[in-house]
Each structure stands twice: as C-alpha cells, then as structure tokens.
C-alpha cells in the first residue's frame, strides 16, 4: 500500500491551501476530490471576493480556484480527481473509489501519515407542501447549473433565505438571464452582507423579511408558490398570503459541515449552531481528537471561502510541523501569521459570532 | 417594508444610513465636481477600495472591518475604485456635468450592456424607476476584471437617489 506524508480529502479552497502549504514544506502530498474539476465551490463563484490582499480580495472565486490548483501542481502535489474516500481505518488507511464519474471504476487504499479533512459542507433543506416538485432545488445546485454547466434552471425564481448564499445566487441568476421574483427571509433581518442585498435590491428584487414559503403549486413541476408573512414565532399570519408566478424555488437556508469521515474515524464531535451543527472538535492547530487527523474549512465549521483558505494553510503548516518538516519555532511563527489573518476575517458583526464559536470549540477540547 | 427602513431590514441602505457613513462625501465636496460615493455601511472584513485609490483618498486601516472613510479633498473623481469594490458599493457622482444634469457612474454586471447615447430607465436603491437617463459612457477595460462601469446623465434633483439602471427585465412586481 502506498504511503503519503499527507493525504488531503477535498480540493476546495481549504484542501488546496492545505496541500500547497504541506507540499512546500517538503511533505509528499496526495490531494483527492470526488469531482471532475478541482476548486470545490470556488469553480462557481464568479463574484469578486472580500477581505484583504492576502485573502485575494477583489479576485473572482473562479480565478482563485485556477491559481490555487496551479500552485498545488507547482508545489508537487499529486492530485486525484473523480476519487471518493469512503472509508477511514485504523492507522489512517483510506479506502477510495476512482473513476465513478468517468465510468472507469477502480479502487484501492492508501496510507496517510497525516490526514486533512477538507470535505466542505452540504446544503440544508426546508420542507413545505410541494417541496419535492421538480424546480425546487438548493441554491448551490442552481449556482452549479448556471455557472458551471451553463444551464438556466428556470426563468422566474423565488429565493428562500437571505444569507450570503441566497443573496449572491440571486444576483448570479439574474446575470444568467433569470428573473428573481422575490427573496423571502423568515427572520426580521437580512442575514448576509448589506452590499450583496443592495445589489439585488437595485436590480428590483423585493427582499421580504419575516416571510416564508408556505407551498409550491404544480402537478409535474413548480408552477407557482405561495408566500406568507410570519410572526416572531414563525407562525403564518392569516390573510398575508401572496401567490407568486414562478417556475423555480431555490433554497438557501444554511449549510451544515460535511464531516462523515471524521465520524467514521471516531473523532469527537461537538455541536455548534453558529458553525452549522455537528463539527469535529479541533484544537488551535486544527488537529481533531484523533491524532494525525486535521480538519479545515467548512467541514470544521461553516464559514466562507476566505476563512477556508486560511484554515487550510493552518492545517498544512500544522501537518508538516507534526511530521518534523519544520521546526516547532518556525511552525509557531507561521501559524501566528495565519491566525492573525483569520482573526481579521472573524471581526465585525458578521465575523464575531463565528470567532466566539471557534473559541468555545477549542475550549470544549481543553475541558474534555 | 417602508422605504428607508435600513439595509438590514429592507435589503438596501437608506439615504440617512449612507449620509451618516464616512465614505459619503459632503454636499460641499459634491458641488465641486466628480467624487467617489462609497455606500458601505456595515463593518465587514474588506479593504480593496483602500489599495485601489492612487491618491490615498480612501482609508480603511486596521482593523479591516472599519468602514471606508473618504477624504473628499484628496479624491479627484478618477473612478478607479468603482470596479475594485467587491460589493459594487462605490459610485461616482459629478454634480458639475451640466447646469441641470449630474453624471452618475456605477458598476453594472448584466448583459446586454446599453449603448452610449441610449435612453434608459434610471432606478433607485430599491430598484424602483426614478427617471429617464442618457447613457454617456460604457467602460469595460481589462483592469475592471469584467465589471463594466456605466455613466449616465440624470436631472440633478435625483443625484442622491438614482443608483443604477433597470435590467432588461426584472422582478419588482411583488408588494413590499
């Protein structure tokens, strides 16, 4: 069985960054991803990123994916796409299946001295009468259709959820040629950045806070939807129903960490509502409760691509340091640099709750 | 939703919110000619506007969540910051364009782009039609990285309310 110093699972922003940092410090790195294209969610993020220059602010996500992939290859990372790791066994033996998408299946196992789980997150669903009709989809799915596959899922869209995903995908659906008839948000406030909501407001999208979808109409596909105002306890307010003429409903009601491999590996899990649900406990070096297994990006708590890249860097440095590729002092200095940038992303009214949740998570480990 | 409720409830900033933010130029500065109008009213970690300004007229500093502050004396109205703002939240306003009209520039990432000379519908922050506008310029140089900047002429009285033009079609038919 082939052994790698570091196996990184997931080639999104966290996994690519972890691979680059570990490889640049002399680790033999294998990076695997179940998709055909590297980049994770970056490959459909056509908007310019926030942050500072170090976070590649002002650069579009699609271009960041391309740059990171090139950096990974230049650093000597071995990349296996169309490869799913489906099992993780004692001694960090990883079972994988390759070629499932390209219909050339094969499989096997590799051994990893260190593992970085960078498996991202999955979309939450909401149920309402009609939610199984064709035309109801996750906002992320719609974004993949328009920006990766270049297929418009529908012409008149109702968006559910005002977090950054709902706001950005609404914008991009309009860029792709659809109309967003309304965006509803159950809470009394817009969840995402005001600059994103301002963009779609200018384009004429009504953002209806304290509203939810009550049902979808249609026999074989979505032909309409009913929305209704909700009171602070989420109860529909009778008489406020509106019927919308739409053909697509996109659901953007949050993400949850996709950390099944951590559970399989026996990592201790911690529940954090702010971070999206159950996450593997991890210390400041991003190591989980299982020695040698690290976690980075949304798999360790849902945040955003910029924080995922920084966490990836941190995990890459930590993995390399734990293998003795850099001295403890060097590793500490390098980690502090990344931690300072991470801290700057976790400030302000949007970042502070995530900062506090991460701190609580680290403390949960110290008490255990 | 009542107009002017604020960005966190209505989705778009009210005039009070933008006027109260440090990126919004004074009336006196506006009267002197082209100037950047930064409508960034929430503390988010973002600072490309600071590096975009060759004159040092935009300051974010540390922490990076500070609101961008505009120094109206240093701003020469070059407009370089417009396409660099990831939030598309910077506009360029020239109140001296003519006796009756102001020129407003804004980022516009929708196709098809209007033709210079065309008459279009100008909209406010809520996407509601305000007036007709003449397209003066459509700029999309490589440095904008695929963020076209459109300049329109509008009656001066609408200079602080108009912030874009209508997409070729759109929503907006649902009661607020």
């Amino acid at each position: 069985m082939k052994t790698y110093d570091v196996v990184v699972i997931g080639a999104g922003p966290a996994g690519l960054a972890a691979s680059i940092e570990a490889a640049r410090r002399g680790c033999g790195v294998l990076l695997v991803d179940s998709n055909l294209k590297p980049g994770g969610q970056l490959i459909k993020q056509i908007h310019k990123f926030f942050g500072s220059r170090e976070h590649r602010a002002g650069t579009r996500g699609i271009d960041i994916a391309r740059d990171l992939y090139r950096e990974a290859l230049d650093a000597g990372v071995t990349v296996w796409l169309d490869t799913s790791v489906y099992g993780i066994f004692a001694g960090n033996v990883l079972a994988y299946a390759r070629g499932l998408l390209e219909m050339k299946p094969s499989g096997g196992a590799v051994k990893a001295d260190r593992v970085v789980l960078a498996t991202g997150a999955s979309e939450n669903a909401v149920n309402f009468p009609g939610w199984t009709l064709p035309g109801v989809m996750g906002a992320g799915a719609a974004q993949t259709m328009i920006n990766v596959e270049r297929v418009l899922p529908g012409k008149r869209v109702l968006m559910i959820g005002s977090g950054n995903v709902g706001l950005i995908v609404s914008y991009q659906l309009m860029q792709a040629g659809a109309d967003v008839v309304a965006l509803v948000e159950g809470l009394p406030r817009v969840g995402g950045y005001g600059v994103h909501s301002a963009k779609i407001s200018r384009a004429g999208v009504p953002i209806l806070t304290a509203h939810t979808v009550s049902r979808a109409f249609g026999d074989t596909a979505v032909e309409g939807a009913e929305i209704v105002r909700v009171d602070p306890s989420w109860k529909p307010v009778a008489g406020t129903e509106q019927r919308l003429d739409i053909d697509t409903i996109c659901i953007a009601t949050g993400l949850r960490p996709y950390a099944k491999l951590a559970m399989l590996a026996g990592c201790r899990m911690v529940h954090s509502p702010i971070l999206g649900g159950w996450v593997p406990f991890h210390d400041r070096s991003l190591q989980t409760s299982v020695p040698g297994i690290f976690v980075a990006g949304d798999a360790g708590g849902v945040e955003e691509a910029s924080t995922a890249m920084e966490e990836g860097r941190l995990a890459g440095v930590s993995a390399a340091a734990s293998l003795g590729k850099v001295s403890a002092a060097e590793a500490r200095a390098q980690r502090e640099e990344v931690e300072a940038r991470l801290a700057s992303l976790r400030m302000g009214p949007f970042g502070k709750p995530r900062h506090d949740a991460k701190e609580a998570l680290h403390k949960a480990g110290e008490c255990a | 939703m009542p107009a002017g409720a604020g960005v966190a409830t209505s989705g778009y900033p009210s005039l009070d919110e933008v006027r109260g933010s440090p990126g919004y130029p004074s009336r006196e500065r506006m009267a002197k000619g082209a100037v950047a109008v930064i409508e960034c009213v929430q503390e988010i970690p973002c600072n490309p506007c600071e590096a975009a300004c060759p004159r040092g007229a935009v300051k974010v500093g540390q922490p990076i969540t500070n609101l961008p502050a505009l120094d109206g004396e240093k701003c020469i109205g070059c407009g370089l910051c417009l396409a660099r703002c990831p939030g598309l939240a910077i506009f360029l306003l020239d109140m001296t364009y003519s006796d009756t009209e102001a020129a407003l520039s804004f980022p516009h990432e929708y196709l098809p782009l209007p033709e210079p000379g065309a008459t279009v519908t100008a909209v406010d922050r809520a996407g509601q039609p305000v007036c007709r506008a003449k397209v003066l310029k459509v700029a999309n140089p490589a440095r904008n990285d695929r963020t076209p900047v459109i300049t329109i002429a509008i009656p001066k009285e609408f200079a602080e309310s108009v912030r874009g033009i209508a997409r070729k079609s759109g929503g907006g038919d649902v009661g607020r």
Side-chain angles (χ1 to χ4, degrees), chain A residues 6-24 29-34 38-42 64-65 67-73 75-81 114-121 286 294-300 304-317 319:
Chain A
V6 181
V7 175
V8 179
I9 304 168
L16 282 166
S19 303
I20 293 164
E21 297 303 326
R24 282 181 181 165
V29 178
L30 171 66
L31 171 63
V32 302
D33 192 285
S34 57
Q41 302 306 298
L42 291 172
I64 296 175
D67 294 348
L68 288 178
Y69 185 52
R70 194 173 299 152
E71 284 175 37
L73 296 180
V77 174
T78 302
V79 183
W80 291 358
L81 300 171
R114 298 291 181 270
V115 177
V116 178
L117 300 174
T119 43
L286 304 189
F294 297 79
V295 65
D298 279 0
E304 53 189 12
S306 307
T307 43
M309 277 184 271
E310 297 294 2
E311 282 208 339
R313 290 193 182 104
L314 201 51
V317 171

Side-chain angles (χ1 to χ4, degrees), chain B residues 36-130:
Chain B
V37 177
I38 306 176
E39 302 200 349
C40 184
V41 301
Q42 287 177 333
E43 293 175 326
I44 59 176
C46 191
N47 68 3
C49 53
E50 188 170 33
C53 182
R55 301 261 168 168
V58 183
K59 180 151 175 68
V60 176
Q62 291 293 334
I64 189 180
T65 43
N66 286 342
L67 295 181
L70 178 79
D71 183 337
E73 298 312 308
K74 288 185 183 167
C75 176
I76 58 163
C78 69
L80 279 173
C81 51
L82 269 68
R84 293 281 295 280
C85 169
L88 308 191
I90 308 182
F91 307 83
L92 189 72
L93 183 60
D94 183 0
M95 292 296 280
T96 62
Y97 173 69
S98 79
D99 287 347
T100 56
E101 290 174 306
L104 178 80
S105 305
F106 53 89
H108 185 87
E109 297 181 323
Y110 300 105
L111 293 173
L113 291 169
E115 293 291 330
T119 300
V120 294
T121 302
V123 300
D124 63 13
R125 293 178 185 83
Q128 298 300 307
V130 174

